[in-house]
């Protein structure tokens, strides 16, 4: 579903990601793990087609994100860690706008909005302006806007931040539903317990380089994801104060 080959991205003289190769197969939830500044967000934004890159190729469901950006975006939903929503709109108007962009007919959008807004507990708030929403409510609205597109690929940057336990539980189910329907998921997270329990595969990035990518059970072995991550990123551990 997602194939990243020899991906490189620099910011001036700083190399953010170097020669990264990562595949996200259909039907798999892949957790993307790394310390702050490791290159997770850069990779996700490039895959979403909103950040250019120096070298390599990225294809989504057979669509090259550079050569066929519209085709790639049509089958992808990307959620940044801090979704930038149109705050002057009501929640319902915002979802209607997204549905218009993706050509979702009226009957289907009503059904999907009711389904997902109900699951995240914001159905009664859709008449209010987005500007009045809390951070958690905005996160939920952004998730609804992603799922009503029925994307083939979900790219999510820290999607569980700001969600209450009920919404987090609903999101886990929706990620699995996406994969069961023939899609795939790549999401970054610092919540290693969630990644270990939820993800089929784990990819660990350190200093812009992929240091592990395999089924979750193979990555952790007889240890835990926390232990493996700390070992692979040992040089990024905070030093104890003296």
């Amino acid at each position: 579903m997602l194939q990243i080959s020899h991906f490189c991205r620099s910011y001036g003289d700083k190399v953010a990601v170097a020669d990264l190769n990562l595949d996200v197969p259909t039907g798999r939830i892949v957790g993307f793990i790394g310390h702050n500044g490791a290159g997770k967000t850069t990779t996700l934004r490039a895959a979403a087609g909103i950040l250019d890159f120096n070298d390599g190729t990225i294809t989504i469901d057979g669509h090259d994100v550079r050569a066929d950006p519209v085709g790639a975006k049509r089958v992808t939903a990307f959620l940044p860690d801090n979704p930038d929503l149109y705050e002057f709109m009501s929640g319902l108007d915002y979802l209607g706008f997204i549905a218009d962009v993706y050509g979702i007919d009226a009957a289907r959008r009503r059904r999907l909005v009711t389904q997902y807004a109900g699951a995240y507990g914001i159905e009664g708030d859709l008449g209010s302006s987005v500007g009045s929403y809390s951070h958690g409510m905005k996160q939920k609205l952004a998730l609804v806007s992603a799922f009503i597109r029925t994307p083939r690929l979900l790219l999510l940057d820290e999607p569980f931040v700001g969600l209450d336990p009920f919404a987090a539980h609903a999101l886990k189910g929706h990620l699995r539903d996406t994969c069961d329907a023939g899609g795939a998921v790549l999401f970054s997270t610092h919540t290693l317990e969630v990644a270990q329990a939820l993800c089929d595969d784990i990819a660990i990035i350190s200093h812009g380089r992929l240091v592990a990518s395999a089924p979750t059970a193979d990555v952790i072995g007889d240890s835990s994801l926390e232990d493996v991550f700390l070992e692979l990123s040992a040089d990024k551990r905070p030093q104890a104060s003296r």
Side-chain angles (χ1 to χ4, degrees):
M1 182 58 64
L2 170 64
Q3 185 176 50
I4 302 174
S5 301
H6 301 291
F7 168 67
C8 300
R9 179 59 160 97
S10 298
Y11 296 93
D13 294 332
K14 176 179 172 54
V15 178
V17 182
D19 198 33
L20 186 143
N21 296 283
L22 177 64
D23 291 343
V24 178
T26 299
R28 308 287 282 185
I29 300 175
V30 180
F32 200 27
I33 312 300
H35 56 80
N36 290 336
K40 303 184 302 297
T41 296
T42 292
T43 303
L44 289 170
R45 287 171 62 86
I50 59 175
L51 180 67
D52 199 9
F53 46 96
N54 304 94
D55 294 296
T57 60
I58 301 176
T59 59
I60 297 174
D61 200 21
H63 304 278
D64 187 292
V65 299
R66 279 173 155 171
D68 184 15
V70 174
K73 288 182 174 70
R74 187 175 288 121
V75 298
T76 304
F78 168 62
L79 258 66
D81 59 348
N82 189 20
D84 190 12
L85 310 177
Y86 294 123
E87 298 200 349
F88 64 89
M89 291 182 171
S90 70
L92 189 60
D93 287 341
Y94 178 76
L95 295 175
F97 167 71
I98 296 298
D100 286 342
V101 169
Y102 284 85
I104 305 170
D105 65 67
R108 180 175 175 79
R109 76 175 63 179
R110 280 195 298 270
R111 177 175 63 81
L112 292 173
V113 167
T114 298
Q115 174 187 343
Y116 288 110
Y120 290 108
I122 60 169
E123 191 172 10
D125 301 298
L126 294 181
S128 302
S129 69
V130 175
S132 69
Y133 284 15
S134 67
H135 173 75
M137 290 172 63
K138 290 178 181 177
Q139 183 78 354
K140 293 175 184 180
L141 182 67
L143 287 168
V144 175
S145 75
F147 285 112
I148 65 171
R149 308 174 214 173
T150 56
R152 296 272 291 154
L153 175 68
L154 276 167
L155 299 170
L156 311 173
D157 198 357
E158 294 287 350
F160 291 95
V161 172
L163 294 184
D164 58 65
F166 294 102
H169 177 74
L171 175 56
K172 294 172 187 176
H174 293 149
L175 296 183
R176 183 57 63 191
D177 290 344
T178 296
C179 290
D180 291 345
V185 177
L186 175 65
F187 76 94
S188 72
T189 182
H190 287 132
T191 310
L192 301 184
E193 296 85 357
V194 170
Q196 181 170 334
L198 178 62
C199 296
D200 303 302
D201 304 302
I202 295 293
I204 300 177
I205 187 172
S206 180
H207 302 289
R209 294 185 179 276
L210 201 66
V211 295
S213 180
T216 303
D218 293 344
V219 170
I220 65 177
D222 296 327
S223 186
S224 69
L225 182 56
E226 181 180 38
D227 290 338
V228 172
F229 172 73
L230 291 175
E231 180 180 352
L232 292 174
S233 305
D235 58 335
K236 289 299 292 184
R237 284 188 213 174
Q239 298 297 313
S241 58
R242 295 173 182 262

